[in-house]
Amino acid sequence: SPAMSPSGPPDGGWGWVVVFGAFISIGFAYAFPKGLAIFFKEIQDFFGTSYSEIAWVSSIMLATTYGAGPISSILVNRYGSRPVVMFGGLLCGIGMVSAAFCTSILQLYICVGFITGFGLALNLQPSVIIIGKYFLKRRPIANGLAMAGSPVMLCTLAPLNQFLFDNFGWRGSFLILGAILLNCCVAGALFRPIGAATASGKTQATEEGKAALKEEVTKDAMEMSSATNVPTETKTEEEEGRDCCEKINQYLDFSLFKHRGFLIYLIGNVLMFLGFFAPIVFLAPYAKHIGIDEYSAAFLLSILAIVDMIARPTTGIIANSKWVRPRIQYFFSFSIAFNGTCHLLCPLASGYTGLVVYSIFFGLAFGMVCAMLFETLMDLVGAARFTSAVGLVTIAECCTILLGPPIGGTLIDTFGDYKYMFIKCGAVMVLAGTFLFIMNYYNYRMLAKEEKERKAKEEDPKSVRTENEVRNNWNKETTQDGPELEPLREDQEGLKKEVNGT
């Protein structure tokens, strides 16, 4: 039944049920790889492997979840959110159940790392996308609620995993977890496709047509032979004449690599992820290593998650305030450096109390970074190129996400002490935060300078613009080509007038 009038997203109604479904699937996608860390020490003893070998399980899982994002997006565009999430839930269940029968660490990599990781990726993207279809005005609230799934799930999964392990061993736990993950299929079933999908598809097509027209002009102005510039006709006929390569190029707009803000963000983030997940993966094993009992060790993850839960929305509100919003990049770099400082101070925590304090601060820092991760990217590249930017960023982050925990594990194996792993993560993150701060300062200065030049040029009576162009002006300048292609715009000016005239 059509759930909405063609006018726009319903901003409520069934949308809240969709948010609940997204809460579950996003929660599993983010929390599950971290919650598994509870079993690491025991699986390690069982197979007699080293820390770095066992850390690969989490790494492969996280990297697959991040890296398969673009595949997931393509599938959603093709089949809609519901079937993709349900298939993802099925894959997660299969992966975990088959992991229960593994006889070697390599089989664990495949079952837990790849199969479950890919299932989680199919849960993550569609959930984020469908919220955007159901909400417009209340989207920040809806996204915030859905994203809260991650800490809430971590909070429950950590003690639950410990309980399951004590009663059923790790094999039995994996079987039960596989069954629990099948709930993602239920969550996916709630994602009812919106009735006026055809209407929104049409508008999207015309929007893309307009974008393509602009890009045609750009292409004539400079020989830009990127495959993003599909001629208008094919764009308007949405699905028909579009093969796989064009599809991929539509998601990944490679001209972003000429965008200064995007490059700064990319380098900073890739560096940051080298130290982002390792401390979470090793927190429970570290506590057990010091001689803290299992439940207390698992409880550390819950504390982290509870603080994270409070930190995310709070950070969102602060970042949205009129003082912080224009300087959100500085706030982001500060939170990364703050995160690193926590890890650097962690080895000083000797007893359980120290670890609790560390968990609280780590939860706060983690929540701050997570809350602003995508907001800062949108701030840099603009909404129009956001999807494409997320795809490129996640692919680039894959490598460092994959390497982070195993490097930490190697350090633990080499020195027989967790201290160096925390120091490595801390140092990397402080470095990333500092880099982002300095580069964004430079970027803000450059943008202000370019803005001044642009103002001077606009006062020039020659470039008379249509009302529409003035309205889209800011949007286009930041999203279409980015400030770097400034000189080219002068050549385009004449061309644009021709197009407007025709």
Side-chain angles (χ1 to χ4, degrees):
S1 60
M4 84 183 220
S5 57
S7 57
D11 263 312
W14 186 258
W16 296 117
V17 183
V18 171
V19 168
F20 173 70
F23 175 90
I24 292 173
S25 51
I26 289 175
F28 275 125
Y30 279 125
F32 199 75
K34 300 165 198 160
L36 275 186
I38 301 288
F39 301 108
F40 280 4
K41 210 159 164 48
E42 286 74 21
I43 295 179
Q44 190 192 345
D45 298 340
F46 183 86
F47 286 125
T49 56
S50 66
Y51 269 110
S52 49
E53 279 178 302
I54 197 79
W56 277 105
V57 175
S58 258
S59 273
I60 292 172
M61 198 169 181
L62 282 165
T64 313
T65 307
Y66 271 71
I71 302 174
S72 183
S73 299
I74 291 173
L75 287 174
V76 174
N77 269 27
R78 200 66 197 270
Y79 304 108
S81 285
R82 183 186 268 175
V84 175
V85 175
M86 290 173 84
F87 178 62
L90 201 62
L91 273 183
C92 292
I94 292 170
M96 288 310 289
V97 170
S98 53
F101 301 102
C102 288
T103 51
S104 75
I105 194 94
L106 189 68
Q107 291 167 349
L108 270 186
Y109 291 162
I110 295 167
C111 296
V112 181
F114 286 112
I115 302 178
T116 310
F118 187 58
L120 292 176
L122 294 184
N123 272 332
L124 184 59
Q125 231 82 3
S127 310
V128 178
I129 292 171
I130 196 152
I131 288 178
K133 290 210 172 89
Y134 267 93
F135 288 91
L136 183 68
K137 286 195 207 63
R138 298 186 183 158
R139 193 170 63 206
I141 302 171
N143 263 328
L145 284 172
M147 284 296 180
S150 150
V152 172
M153 287 284 184
L154 185 55
C155 209
T156 37
L157 272 177
L160 174 74
N161 282 356
Q162 193 56 54
F163 171 77
L164 289 177
F165 174 76
D166 289 346
N167 289 297
F168 306 102
W170 67 268
R171 288 187 189 277
S173 305
F174 278 13
L175 269 176
I176 296 168
L177 285 173
I180 292 175
L181 276 177
L182 287 174
N183 280 311
C184 290
C185 297
V186 183
L190 298 174
F191 292 170
R192 189 166 72 196
I194 272 194
T198 46
S200 58
K202 288 257 170 57
T203 51
Q204 193 187 345
T206 49
E207 286 295 306
E208 285 189 278
K210 282 181 202 155
L213 195 72
K214 272 183 207 158
E215 276 167 355
E216 281 296 301
V217 179
T218 320
K219 191 168 67 176
D220 296 349
M222 44 184 210
E223 289 307 315
M224 215 183 117
S225 56
S226 146
T228 340
N229 308 319
V230 185
T232 330
E233 303 84 53
T234 50
K235 279 276 187 181
T236 330
E237 283 148 13
E238 255 304 276
E239 286 307 22
E240 283 171 35
R242 190 184 291 168
D243 63 330
C244 196
C245 283
E246 285 174 4
K247 254 212 163 75
I248 289 171
N249 274 318
Q250 182 209 334
Y251 291 110
L252 308 177
D253 171 8
F254 288 105
S255 66
L256 274 167
F257 285 110
K258 293 181 182 157
H259 189 294
R260 190 173 53 232
F262 174 75
L263 283 176
I264 294 171
Y265 178 90
L266 188 70
I267 296 168
N269 265 36
V270 165
L271 245 181
M272 173 193 82
F273 272 109
L274 209 50
F276 196 54
F277 287 117
I280 287 196
V281 172
F282 289 118
L283 183 57
Y286 174 51
K288 290 178 188 174
H289 173 81
I290 302 183
I292 292 162
D293 69 287
E294 283 96 349
Y295 279 96
S296 305
F299 188 58
L300 285 174
L301 279 175
S302 295
I303 294 173
L304 189 148
I306 293 167
V307 178
D308 183 1
M309 218 181 314
I310 303 162
R312 278 182 206 213
T314 317
T315 309
I317 293 164
I318 295 171
N320 222 345
S321 67
K322 61 175 187 290
W323 299 283
V324 183
R325 193 67 196 266
R327 295 276 171 270
I328 191 169
Q329 303 295 339
Y330 292 150
F331 191 32
F332 183 54
S333 21
F334 162 74
S335 56
I336 293 177
F338 173 56
N339 214 323
T341 316
C342 292
H343 303 327
L344 286 175
L345 296 176
C346 177
L348 302 178
S350 46
Y352 188 61
T353 328
L355 278 181
V356 169
V357 173
Y358 167 69
S359 298
I360 292 171
F361 277 105
F362 184 18
L364 176 66
F366 194 80
M368 281 167 73
V369 174
C370 287
M372 287 187 293
L373 207 52
F374 294 131
E375 187 52 56
T376 42
L377 182 57
M378 202 180 258
D379 176 63
L380 285 168
V381 299
R385 302 168 82 179
F386 179 65
T387 326
S388 178
V390 169
L392 288 172
V393 168
T394 44
I395 290 173
E397 283 165 359
C398 248
C399 318
T400 46
I401 288 174
L402 193 60
L403 292 174
I407 292 174
T410 312
L411 287 171
I412 296 169
D413 291 330
T414 317
F415 297 105
D417 191 353
Y418 284 77
K419 189 167 63 183
Y420 301 101
M421 187 272 306
F422 284 113
I423 290 171
K424 178 228 37 162
C425 293
V428 166
M429 292 195 75
V430 169
L431 184 72
T434 318
F435 169 82
L436 278 174
F437 191 86
I438 296 167
M439 290 310 286
N440 277 310
Y441 174 69
Y442 163 76
N443 193 27
Y444 276 136
R445 291 266 308 264
M446 291 297 285
L447 285 174
K449 199 170 124 194
E450 277 154 14
E451 187 62 39
K452 219 186 253 166
E453 286 169 16
R454 193 176 307 149
K455 283 262 162 53
K457 196 189 306 170
E458 265 170 24
E459 278 153 23
D460 205 12
K462 274 189 302 209
S463 55
V464 181
R465 300 182 170 213
T466 57
E467 237 176 284
N468 197 24
E469 269 198 279
V470 173
R471 201 170 53 237
N472 291 342
N473 179 30
W474 180 82
N475 206 5
K476 195 168 67 227
E477 307 287 28
T478 48
T479 59
Q480 249 352 71
D481 334 326
E484 292 72 18
L485 306 178
E486 195 61 59
L488 290 161
R489 204 164 285 123
E490 291 164 75
D491 323 335
Q492 287 172 36
E493 221 47 60
L495 265 158
K496 266 184 200 150
K497 253 180 260 161
E498 273 172 43
V499 171
N500 287 335
T502 49

